[in-house]
Amino acid sequence: MKGLILAAGRGTRLRPLSYTKPKPLLPVMNQPVISYSIEKLRSLGIYDIGIVIHPDQQEVFQEYLVDLKSEDIQLSYIYQTNPKGIAHAVGQAEEFIGTDDFLLLLGDNLIGDQLHSFKKAFESEEIHGTVMVTKVKEPSDYGIAEIKHQKIVGLEEKPAHPKSNMAVIGAYLFDFNIFCAIKAIKPSARGEYEITDAIQWMIDNGFSINYLEAKEPTFDVGTMERWLEANQWLLQNKYVSESSSPLSFPRTVIIPPVIIGESCKIKDAVIGPYVSIDSDVVLKKMQHSKQYCLKKFTNKEYTLYDCRQCVWRKIKADRQGFERKHTTRCIWR
């Protein structure tokens, strides 16, 4: 079995952060979002992993994922030049997948569940595909599965009259027949090749699709709010203290959960809760009112208010310059 991670999206809703890096590389608890998908695949014994990217993104992906490469993990980069939907992205990987089964993950999704039961659901019977689903409050906003006798019998993208409240989320297992489906479908009204249409084609042509319901939350890290929610959830549920001793930070109060990277210099500050600080950050005389993430940031003696939307990387800020560039997101006082 191989792994496939889709990571070619432009992340327009996360600009300006996504101007400098793809959204699957944004940090959640100080690790790129996509790294959690890679680790989930590795935990299942899946070591041959393809990552679908835009051609101009390969260098930045290689830079950020260099620490994840090891003797057991083989990362292959597959190009999707034009963003034409999830099914189209999967279709670009046909040569890489060959006739193998594969586990498909969305690179900007953070799935709380371990995937061993998911893999078992695919392997336990004569099945051509397995999808992960979860109950949602607003089914009209999602791809919705119609379920009968433990099988998916229909899928509909953002239906006006949903037949269930079970939404398809970003984890799928397929055999090679999915590629026949992708070649058979046509673009949707929004001009994309929808994975829900490909799965529906398989159902209509006699292929069996089952499902597993997620027990933990799943986060689509596609907006500022959901990105910070993912960081908060991980800190709440997966937190292990990885920061330096508070004694290393003079006159500083740390309110957990907080993760602080290496070589940080912090003094006269109040940090937390739900804060991720990467390595080499310098903070002095700082307080905050809400959660945030910091990367290689040096501040002067100001207080941060309303910081839910703030992330910095390699920024040397002064009062005038920072306010000029970021007044819609952050206020210095």
Side-chain angles (χ1 to χ4, degrees):
M1 182 175 286
K2 292 179 179 175
L4 186 65
I5 303 174
L6 306 188
R10 290 299 189 179
T12 55
R13 292 176 296 174
L14 277 168
R15 290 174 179 170
L17 304 178
S18 56
Y19 279 131
T20 56
K21 72 177 77 169
K23 61 180 177 178
L25 295 180
L26 290 174
V28 174
M29 213 172 81
N30 285 1
Q31 294 186 46
V33 177
I34 195 173
S35 70
Y36 294 98
S37 294
I38 293 171
E39 288 301 326
K40 285 188 183 296
L41 292 172
R42 173 190 269 165
S43 73
L44 296 174
I46 299 173
Y47 304 119
D48 196 359
I49 301 170
I51 303 178
V52 179
I53 61 172
H54 189 274
D56 63 10
Q57 296 175 336
Q58 182 165 344
E59 184 176 351
V60 68
F61 269 97
Q62 288 176 326
E63 175 189 348
Y64 275 83
L65 300 182
V66 64
D67 293 337
L68 294 177
K69 290 196 71 174
S70 62
E71 292 182 0
D72 61 339
I73 290 286
Q74 176 64 45
L75 299 180
S76 301
Y77 293 98
I78 301 156
Y79 294 158
Q80 183 189 29
T81 303
N82 298 311
K84 295 182 179 179
I86 292 176
H88 180 265
V90 174
Q92 309 310 298
E94 183 175 9
E95 182 177 348
F96 167 75
I97 297 296
T99 58
D100 291 319
D101 300 332
F102 67 100
L103 199 161
L104 169 66
L105 298 172
L106 306 186
D108 57 358
N109 277 206
L110 187 66
I111 296 174
D113 288 71
Q114 294 300 317
L115 298 178
H116 296 81
S117 296
F118 186 59
K119 184 170 179 276
K120 185 177 180 180
F122 177 78
E123 295 175 334
S124 62
E125 52 184 307
E126 191 81 17
I127 286 294
H128 303 95
T130 302
V131 300
M132 184 167 280
V133 299
T134 190
K135 291 185 176 73
V136 294
K137 294 181 180 179
E138 301 292 340
S140 295
D141 293 337
Y142 299 88
I144 295 298
E146 181 184 359
I147 297 169
K148 292 181 180 179
H149 308 298
Q150 300 300 308
K151 297 287 192 302
I152 294 179
V153 297
L155 288 169
E156 194 172 3
E157 190 69 30
K158 298 181 179 179
H161 304 287
K163 295 179 180 179
S164 81
N165 65 343
M166 302 298 287
V168 177
I169 56 178
Y172 313 79
L173 270 160
F174 294 115
D175 66 14
F176 66 91
N177 288 293
I178 188 65
F179 296 110
C180 299
I182 292 170
K183 292 171 184 176
I185 63 174
K186 298 184 181 301
S188 65
R190 61 178 184 167
E192 295 190 356
Y193 293 87
E194 310 285 0
I195 194 67
T196 48
D197 290 344
I199 297 171
Q200 186 65 57
W201 184 94
M202 293 182 73
I203 294 168
D204 293 342
N205 285 273
F207 296 97
S208 294
I209 307 294
N210 66 358
Y211 71 95
L212 185 73
E213 184 176 352
K215 295 180 180 178
E216 299 284 356
T218 295
F219 299 93
D220 171 5
V221 188
T223 67
M224 297 284 189
E225 290 76 15
R226 292 202 295 265
W227 175 47
L228 288 167
E229 286 173 3
N231 188 72
Q232 177 172 335
W233 185 84
L234 266 185
L235 284 169
Q236 279 181 320
N237 294 277
K238 309 295 183 182
Y239 173 73
V240 176
S241 178
E242 297 180 11
S243 65
S244 303
S245 166
L247 297 177
S248 304
F249 307 133
R251 298 177 300 280
T252 291
V253 177
I254 296 177
I255 307 169
V258 170
I259 183 169
I260 300 175
E262 298 178 355
S263 303
C264 291
K265 297 179 181 179
I266 303 171
K267 69 178 181 179
D268 300 314
V270 178
I271 306 295
Y274 309 121
V275 173
S276 295
I277 301 176
D278 203 2
S279 301
D280 303 309
V281 172
V282 179
L283 298 172
K284 299 178 182 179
K285 292 188 178 180
M286 191 187 109
Q287 299 176 12
H288 82 285
S289 60
K290 294 181 181 178
Q291 60 174 324
Y292 54 85
C293 306
L294 297 172
K295 288 182 72 67
K296 295 185 180 178
F297 172 74
T298 301
N299 82 313
K300 293 194 175 182
E301 296 178 3
Y302 306 112
T303 301
L304 265 61
Y305 294 88
D306 192 22
C307 294
R308 293 188 74 252
Q309 312 299 331
C310 296
V311 173
W312 301 274
R313 182 174 184 268
K314 296 181 180 177
I315 296 175
K316 178 75 172 180
D318 60 29
R319 179 185 176 94
Q320 186 176 29
F322 195 90
E323 285 190 337
R324 181 173 61 251
K325 294 179 182 178
H326 297 273
T327 49
T328 61
R329 294 297 187 193
C330 186
I331 301 171
W332 294 98
R333 293 180 180 174

